[in-house]
Amino acid sequence: GQQLNQSPQSMFIQEGEDVSMNCTSSSIFNTWLWYKQDPGEGPVLLIALYKAGELTSNGRLTAQFGITRKDSFLNISASIPSDVGIYFCAGRRNTPLVFGKGTRLSVIA
Amino acid sequence: GAVVSQHPSRVICKSGTSVKIECRSLDFQATTMFWYRQFPKQSLMLMATSNEGSKATYEQGVEKDKFLINHASLTLSTLTVTSAHPEDSSFYICSAPTSLSTDTQYFGPGTRLTVL
């Protein structure tokens, strides 16, 4: 079945630093989604990507849909303490969403 | 973005009892909703796809007689955990795609189930 490899698994960064995380797939996706989950809460949609090569921003967040359609990355610029949480990538092609295992982000003030 | 609600947010029950969790789309209609289960520090695992007006589609390994799903209307899906046992304790989350794009899913806030 489809699998998503998300990296890094966890990150510890200083406040103000930029962050980058990515997901790669063993197969092609038509959609890439990035979510953030806070403890005890449901995932919140950050960015949705629908076309290969698409680069989309949402405030300090930028995500890209890889040209090969098998990967995507999420960048966070100038991190702040409230960026702490778990970030999940998710992809889809004619099936229910497949999720990565998440990147746990910790921001040190 | 679209809003999905879940109720209850937290439930504690005795082993052997049944628990019903509701998932509602508040500002859009959803012919399809998804139910996920999440263990601590793990990713989301799809349990089943809830279809309005027809039977739910369960993922491999998920017992349909234990996790009953009913999609009663275009804005409500329910998950009933029957004869719950401690190993059913988990975080249950529903999601729904908006009518504008079936690829973009919005998640509910989740329900923490603890079975004693």
Side-chain angles (χ1 to χ4, degrees):
Chain A
Q2 294 175 329
Q3 293 184 348
L4 283 185
N5 295 311
Q6 185 171 351
S7 65
Q9 191 172 12
S10 62
M11 305 179 72
F12 290 83
I13 61 169
Q14 290 280 105
E15 183 178 358
E17 289 185 348
D18 297 342
V19 174
S20 184
M21 60 191 78
N22 69 84
C23 275
T24 58
S25 169
S26 58
S27 55
I28 291 172
F29 284 136
N30 291 337
T31 300
W32 282 97
L33 305 172
W34 284 92
Y35 292 89
K36 183 192 178 200
Q37 186 177 30
D38 292 326
E41 302 284 334
V44 173
L45 182 65
L46 299 174
I47 293 179
L49 303 162
Y50 302 106
K51 188 187 298 185
E54 181 180 356
L55 183 70
T56 298
S57 293
N58 178 9
R60 294 179 294 106
L61 278 63
T62 302
Q64 184 160 30
F65 192 142
I67 293 176
T68 65
R69 296 168 65 191
K70 291 185 177 182
D71 65 312
S72 177
F73 72 74
L74 173 71
N75 287 341
I76 305 173
S77 63
S79 59
I80 60 178
S82 62
D83 290 333
V84 166
I86 303 176
Y87 293 79
F88 290 100
C89 63
R92 184 177 184 275
R93 183 189 184 199
N94 301 323
T95 60
L97 279 180
V98 178
F99 281 85
K101 294 188 175 182
T103 295
R104 185 178 296 271
L105 178 64
S106 300
V107 180
I108 303 169
Chain B
V3 180
V4 176
S5 71
Q6 272 184 253
H7 178 79
S9 58
R10 186 182 296 268
V11 58
I12 301 173
C13 68
K14 291 183 179 179
S15 185
T17 60
S18 294
V19 175
K20 180 186 284 188
I21 302 170
E22 293 185 347
C23 177
R24 294 182 186 272
S25 56
L26 297 184
D27 52 359
F28 64 100
Q29 293 182 331
T31 56
T32 302
M33 291 184 177
F34 300 94
W35 287 96
Y36 293 83
R37 184 173 181 175
Q38 187 179 33
F39 291 106
K41 298 187 178 181
Q42 303 260 332
S43 188
L44 288 81
M45 184 190 78
L46 180 66
M47 299 175 65
T49 301
S50 174
N51 303 300
E52 190 269 337
S54 64
K55 291 182 179 180
T57 304
Y58 290 83
E59 295 300 300
Q60 191 173 8
V62 178
E63 298 176 59
K64 63 179 181 181
D65 293 331
K66 179 164 188 63
F67 299 100
L68 300 180
I69 291 173
N70 182 22
H71 200 135
S73 73
L74 289 173
T75 59
L76 173 64
S77 174
T78 60
L79 168 68
T80 301
V81 183
T82 62
S83 186
H85 288 94
E87 57 265 30
D88 297 324
S89 298
S90 188
F91 194 52
Y92 293 87
I93 315 173
C94 69
S95 73
T98 65
S99 58
L100 295 179
S101 167
T102 57
D103 283 352
T104 303
Q105 288 184 31
Y106 291 89
F107 284 82
T111 296
R112 171 74 59 193
L113 171 63
T114 302
V115 184
L116 302 176

